[in-house]
Amino acid sequence: MSRNGLLYILLFAAVIALGVHFFWPTPRDEHVFIPVERPVLPPPKVIHPGDQLFIRILKAEDKLELWSSTNNKPYELYKTWTICAWSGGLGPKHKQGDGKSPEGFYATNKGLLNPNSRYHLAFNIGYPNAYDRANGYTGDFIMVHGNCVSAGCYAMTDDGIEEIYQLVAQALNSGQKRVSVHIFPFAMSDENMRRARAWPDYNFWRMLKPGYDYFEKNRRLPTVVVENQRYKIS
């Protein structure tokens, strides 16, 4: 065979080899790309006119929680904000000028909204309530407001109070008569209550705990009345 013939044969063999390399399918277990499973997130919750609202404040955790209920279903947490400032330490408010931010079971209504507050926006929580009055506690104009400063109120950032105020006003303008505002010294777990036994306000907190527990269990608001200067919760 001539040299040129041998070269043609070698070139043809090389082309065949390259074709096999480029076009022969790779094994299934080679270069397999596994798609990343992305969690399916629920759509962000929207509060519509007519939905019922509830506010829960946990002082020690600096939390204001806004809960909502549609068609009388159990409440669901809509959003949590960090409270910018509150004052006076843990425990209930007793008198005008003590600088304490209250604890207990309160409510705001349409007449307690203040869109012209010097603290940006504000709504009164309804202190003193029936329990406070029965025990001779004094004080007034206790608000959730903006401006991030507190002398007995619960102060939020201006951005925070704008969202909270708008939703509370929407609920009250859509038929809800009152928006409950339940204020606890801390998340009232059994463990936290054991840690609080030495506090002078422990017996008061024991009165509040059934209301906290009822909501935690049922995601519905307890019935709260005042009898013999005490909260009665069912």
Side-chain angles (χ1 to χ4, degrees):
M1 179 181 294
S2 68
R3 180 179 297 177
N4 287 340
L6 181 60
L7 287 175
Y8 284 131
I9 291 172
L10 292 174
L11 180 61
F12 180 76
V15 169
I16 293 298
L18 288 172
V20 170
H21 176 76
F22 284 120
F23 301 114
W24 192 262
T26 58
R28 294 182 63 85
D29 61 349
E30 185 178 337
H31 305 303
V32 175
F33 294 95
I34 301 174
V36 176
E37 297 261 349
R38 299 189 181 277
V40 178
L41 299 176
K45 186 172 177 57
V46 176
I47 295 178
H48 300 283
D51 290 351
Q52 300 286 298
L53 298 189
F54 162 59
I55 291 172
R56 183 168 72 171
I57 290 175
L58 306 175
K59 287 172 83 173
E61 289 90 339
D62 297 326
K63 286 183 179 180
L64 185 149
E65 301 171 343
L66 185 64
W67 297 74
S68 69
S69 168
T70 302
N71 297 326
N72 201 35
K73 294 178 182 177
Y75 280 88
E76 296 180 357
L77 181 63
Y78 168 71
K79 191 171 180 178
T80 299
W81 289 265
T82 299
I83 298 172
C84 201
W86 54 272
S87 58
L90 300 183
K93 182 177 182 65
H94 288 162
K95 62 183 179 180
Q96 180 78 32
D98 64 4
K100 296 277 282 189
S101 298
E103 297 169 9
F105 302 100
Y106 298 92
T108 192
N109 58 51
K110 193 184 297 188
L112 297 179
L113 300 176
N114 184 3
N116 301 311
S117 170
R118 59 187 177 130
Y119 298 105
H120 196 58
L121 292 166
F123 56 87
N124 194 312
I125 67 168
Y127 177 93
N129 63 13
Y131 171 86
D132 302 321
R133 294 191 297 271
N135 285 277
Y137 300 159
T138 59
D140 52 17
F141 300 112
I142 303 298
M143 309 279 182
V144 175
H145 61 62
N147 208 222
C148 214
V149 293
S150 171
C153 297
Y154 289 95
M156 314 300 295
T157 64
D158 287 351
D159 288 343
I161 194 61
E162 283 183 10
E163 186 174 5
I164 297 164
Y165 183 95
Q166 182 270 325
L167 291 169
V168 169
Q170 173 181 278
L172 294 172
N173 288 325
S174 301
Q176 186 169 349
K177 300 299 183 184
R178 60 203 299 268
V179 174
S180 293
V181 182
H182 292 183
I183 306 172
F184 300 102
F186 41 76
M188 303 193 84
S189 65
D190 292 340
E191 178 60 29
N192 282 343
M193 289 299 290
R194 282 192 289 271
R195 293 172 179 172
R197 282 177 179 169
W199 282 72
D201 296 303
Y202 178 71
N203 287 332
F204 171 74
W205 294 338
R206 287 181 62 194
M207 269 197 306
L208 303 186
K209 183 168 168 50
Y212 179 90
D213 290 344
Y214 185 93
F215 184 79
E216 283 291 288
K217 179 180 179 181
N218 302 293
R219 291 295 187 251
R220 296 186 183 276
L221 296 181
T223 299
V224 181
V225 297
V226 177
E227 293 182 1
N228 300 318
Q229 299 178 290
R230 294 181 60 83
Y231 286 119
K232 182 179 179 181
I233 297 165
S234 59

